[in-house]
Amino acid sequence: MHNSRWSEFAVESLIRVLGFSTVGLVALIFVFLLREGLPVLSEVALPNFLGRAWYPTFGSFGILPLVLGSVLVTVTAIAIALPLGLATAVFVREVAPGWAREILKPMIEVLAGIPSVVLGFFGMTMVAPWVRQTLGTATGLTAITGSLILTYMALPTLISVAEDALDAVPKSYRDAGLAMGATQWQTIWRVIVPAARSGIVTAAMLAMGRAIGETMAVMMVTGNAARMPTEWDALLRPVRTMTATVAAEMGEVAKGSTHYHALFAIGIVLFVITFAINMTAARAIFAKRRRGGLR
Amino acid sequence: MTKLDVSRLDFYYGSFRALTGVTVGIEERNITSLIGPSGCGKSTFLRCLNRMNDTIKGTRVEGKILLDGEDIYSISSDVVSLRCRVGMVFQRPNPFPQSVFDNVAFGPRVLGQTRGSDLAGRVEESLRGADLWDEVKDRLKQDALSLSLGQQQRLCIARVIAVQPEVILMDEPCSALDPIATLRVEDLMRALREHYTIIIVTHNMQQAARVSDYAGFFWLNDKRSGILAEYGTTRQIFTQPRDKRTEDYITGRFG
């Protein structure tokens, strides 16, 4: 009796420690990032750090082109992926016959498992030449090439989360829509999709979080020119993302140098952006829970 | 006038025959209640009348259902226009998670019946018709799920009458409501009787006796398939039932 109470206590403590350790690990990584990145603020003037030129060799550490490069590539990718992914989710959940759903769902999971370097190959050898020929750009390694590859990578997340959101819409809404004389399509578009709206927003957010952190495939296909993507045709020109910058330059930087600290500072910015995106997604989920009924 | 003429209706879930040989004529602009123990096909029968069972896989109908003389299951008949003419209110209030206004406007919008200022008029008229206007006129923009359950159910009724149907099917519309909300829905049904043919499934004998003009008693045959054991005016069913089983059921000897 006494013994069992003690083992109960031990197991409970173990679980508690394991649970908190996840939080601890995240905090640890963030502290590490801060320790290595924050010194850049004392070494480089703030206007320089937030400036428009990234030439570390000449003492220019402006991260703006990199941030904008990441945002451009990511937002474009989600803008393409959202309608595609939503349409696929609607098809899989609402329209497809049972056997087609059985085939499609695992296929979508497989899509998520393709290593990003393989997608990078695919992007370099198939998508980039296609972009150069059809869009008439000087090089195939452009922002839009990166966006297309990221679209590919974002789709599985987007589809499966959006599909869950559609699945969570009570059947009674469907019945009500159909019983009013609405067609299946009208019921889907005017009742089910709006009811799943917050879940769909979450899906887009999670996909965006994944896309903005993606490194390898993006580095292989975007051309990596650290320039301000502010022209109207910026999508058709090379860009460089934050992730590609860190990955490409980390290997040849002297530990403890300003450049080294600047790369970590980029890591902090990326961390903060991803954190903000995930928080927004989480808020959408909580808002839905609070309203009740939908989950 | 007979609005719905059902003859020798059999209904199958796969190979299981859930309804056998139901024959009945539903009178126009009257309230018909369907009573009987659970699982004997009342709701299934109701859902045959607007073809909601079509949404369930592996179901099949034999026999005829005529709406104003037209076979609703014939190849030429259109499910969408049928459901505009035969509206349905469900057991649990199921307003869409949208504003009160958008809920009522849903049908007219989807069917392209009205738009603009006409639409606002139609919404008001429907909410008045459902005896809800005074309670919600200042919060048309609010989420419908913020209303009380009783209000939600009347909103669902308003949503149905906004389409201007001829028949309204109600599947235990008060079973999720408290007695006071129930009473208001019953008053509403009596008012709606002027314009609509109403068919209501209920487990509440008093409710059937209070509101309906005609009553049908469902029962199971020896193959556990639903049959319409007795049909007549509510007065006759409740005062001089011809069938022993009807009498036992309504007097509360079981069920």
Side-chain angles (χ1 to χ4, degrees), chain B residues 64 126 142 170:
Chain B
K64 273 205 164 77
S126 309
Q142 261 186 33
M170 299 188 176

Side-chain angles (χ1 to χ4, degrees), chain A residues 48-145:
Chain A
N48 183 352
F49 184 63
L50 300 178
R52 305 159 63 95
W54 175 263
Y55 298 119
T57 329
F58 306 110
S60 298
F61 294 100
I63 61 164
L64 202 55
L66 312 177
V67 174
L68 290 182
S70 278
V71 169
L72 176 70
V73 172
T74 305
V75 168
T76 310
I78 298 301
I80 302 170
L82 186 57
L84 276 179
L86 183 55
T88 310
V90 165
F91 177 73
V92 171
R93 188 77 255 159
E94 304 288 334
V95 185
W99 61 267
R101 186 178 310 159
E102 296 302 311
I103 297 172
L104 279 167
K105 286 207 68 169
M107 291 303 270
I108 292 165
E109 312 276 310
V110 168
L111 207 61
I114 299 177
S116 71
V117 70
V118 172
L119 285 176
F121 280 145
F122 176 71
M124 282 174 103
T125 58
M126 305 298 292
V127 184
W130 179 82
V131 165
R132 185 163 49 81
Q133 279 156 22
T134 29
L135 301 179
T137 54
T139 166
L141 302 176
T142 60
I144 188 76
T145 318

